[in-house]
């Protein structure tokens, strides 16, 4: 990255508000987020947010795309990679004591080695009563022993949603060991070290959580909350079935990835592509 461009990017991120917006967008990357959702997540006034987004866009760190009547802002991962590379490789002179885990730009990382017990995968949503529970049950049953599935919530409910349990039972999943759990359970000493961490709701993705140990591959597979569905009992049940169907399709594709023969960058790219798959794709029977 050219020095003047790097200077502008660093100056842009030097403001606490702009840095907060950029960090939130990184948690959704490579997907975009609407300004109203950013403002709500950060408790920021719309006019203040508009100024920050304009500065981030002008620096090249963030791009904007119009979809219908809405604008979606997303991190430009290429520019961000260039900025990190400039700091690490140019300013930092690639010192190994500063960059023990950062490979040189363009380096293809080694394939991921599967632990004897399988890759640990954590699915996170806010309530841990439906979407993340669906994902845990699905990967547990579809992973063919290659994965250990877990789920948690940032503000978990006391019990699992009865509509979610009914969908799981109807699709042949054992629900006896499923329970709502707080994400802190997986940050304690002795907790499994995660290889993958997925957020399956926008609320959980927007929360500013500390980084996970072990640098797991992260992905955002956000889905609308079926718990908020309104209408008749049948219409509510349909919302849960549709969420299950979308997650089943994504998790089937994820479980089939040849993770052991791919480098981390390739796995991350495929995880991102699964999260960006449109929800309107034909669902499987649920």
């Amino acid at each position: 990255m050219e020095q003047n461009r790097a200077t502008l990017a660093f100056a842009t991120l030097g403001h606490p508000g702009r840095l907060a917006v950029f960090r939130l967008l990184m948690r959704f990357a490579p997907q975009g987020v609407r300004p109203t959702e950013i403002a709500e997540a950060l408790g920021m006034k719309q006019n203040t947010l508009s100024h920050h987004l304009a500065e981030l866009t002008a620096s090249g760190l963030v791009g904007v795309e119009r979809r219908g009547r809405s604008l979606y802002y997303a991190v430009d991962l290429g520019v961000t990679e260039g900025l990190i590379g400039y700091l690490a490789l140019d300013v930092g002179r690639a010192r190994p004591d500063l960059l023990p885990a950062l490979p040189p730009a363009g380096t293809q990382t080694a394939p991921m080695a599967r632990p004897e017990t399988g890759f640990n995968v954590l699915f996170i949503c806010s309530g841990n009563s439906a979407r993340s529970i669906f994902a845990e049950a699905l990967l547990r049953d579809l992973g063919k022993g290659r994965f250990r599935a877990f789920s948690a919530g940032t503000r978990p409910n006391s019990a699992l949603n009865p509509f979610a349990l009914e969908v799981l039972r109807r699709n042949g999943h054992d629900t006896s060991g499923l329970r709502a759990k707080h994400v802190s359970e997986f940050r304690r000493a002795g907790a499994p070290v995660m290889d993958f961490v997925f957020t399956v709701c926008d609320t959980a993705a927007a929360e500013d959580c500390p980084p996970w140990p072990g640098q797991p591959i992260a992905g955002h597979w956000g889905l609308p909350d079926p718990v908020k569905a309104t209408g008749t009992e049948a219409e509510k049940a349909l919302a849960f079935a549709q969420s299950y169907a979308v997650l089943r399709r994504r998790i089937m594709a994820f479980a089939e990835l040849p993770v052991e023969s791919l480098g981390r960058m390739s796995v991350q790219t495929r995880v991102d592509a699964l999260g960006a798959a449109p929800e309107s794709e034909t669902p499987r029977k649920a």
Side-chain angles (χ1 to χ4, degrees):
M1 175 176 282
E2 191 269 329
Q3 183 172 336
N4 288 339
R5 191 175 186 186
T7 301
L8 174 60
F10 283 128
T12 302
L13 295 176
H15 187 282
R18 290 193 289 272
L19 181 59
V21 173
F22 185 77
R23 293 183 72 221
L24 182 143
L25 291 176
M26 276 301 307
R27 296 195 289 275
F28 284 84
Q31 301 174 41
V33 187
R34 293 180 299 180
T36 52
E37 295 161 347
I38 301 172
E40 181 180 357
L42 297 177
M44 189 176 288
K45 294 181 179 179
Q46 285 286 355
N47 58 343
T48 302
L49 175 62
S50 296
H51 176 71
H52 291 332
L53 288 172
E55 293 288 334
L56 286 164
T57 303
S59 72
L61 289 165
V62 170
V64 59
E65 176 186 7
R66 178 175 291 278
R67 303 178 202 164
R69 296 184 177 181
S70 298
L71 294 176
Y72 286 80
Y73 289 83
V75 169
D76 187 314
L77 292 175
V79 174
T80 303
E81 179 187 13
L83 181 64
I84 294 172
Y86 175 81
L87 179 62
L89 306 176
D90 190 319
V91 178
R93 312 310 298 170
R95 286 185 59 96
D97 51 341
L98 297 177
L99 315 170
L102 185 64
T107 300
Q108 176 61 41
T109 53
M112 296 181 65
R114 175 159 58 100
E116 291 184 6
T117 56
F119 294 108
N120 292 327
V121 184
L122 178 63
F123 298 96
I124 303 174
C125 68
S126 53
N128 193 211
S129 67
R131 289 164 291 181
S132 54
I133 290 292
F134 283 161
E136 177 184 359
L138 280 162
L139 186 59
R140 179 194 64 195
D141 293 348
L142 297 174
K144 300 177 182 178
R146 296 173 59 230
F147 302 92
R148 295 173 67 204
F150 306 89
S151 70
T154 55
R155 292 183 297 279
N157 296 325
S158 58
L160 304 186
N161 188 282
F163 285 108
L165 289 173
E166 175 57 28
V167 169
L168 289 174
R169 292 179 184 128
R170 190 167 68 245
N171 284 274
H173 300 283
D174 179 9
T175 63
S176 59
L178 298 175
R179 63 182 178 89
K181 304 167 291 298
H182 194 277
V183 71
S184 61
E185 284 196 23
F186 297 96
R187 294 190 178 276
R188 297 173 183 167
V193 176
M194 295 300 160
D195 299 292
F196 296 88
V197 175
F198 297 99
T199 48
V200 291
C201 80
D202 291 348
T203 301
E207 299 213 7
D208 190 2
C209 299
W212 287 91
Q215 294 182 313
I217 288 177
H220 178 56
W221 291 356
L223 294 173
D225 188 356
V227 175
K228 296 181 179 179
T230 59
T232 65
E233 294 295 287
E235 289 170 331
K236 293 178 182 178
L238 177 61
F240 283 85
Q242 290 172 333
S243 293
Y244 171 89
V246 173
L247 283 168
R248 183 182 180 91
R249 182 174 62 252
R250 290 179 180 174
I251 289 172
M252 285 185 68
F254 172 70
E256 292 171 0
L257 289 179
V259 176
E260 297 89 340
S261 63
L262 298 174
R264 287 178 57 89
M265 290 179 62
S266 296
V267 175
Q268 182 70 68
T269 297
R270 299 191 187 200
V271 163
D272 289 341
L274 290 174
E279 299 166 15
S280 59
E281 291 179 7
T282 303
R284 297 176 184 271
K285 183 179 179 181

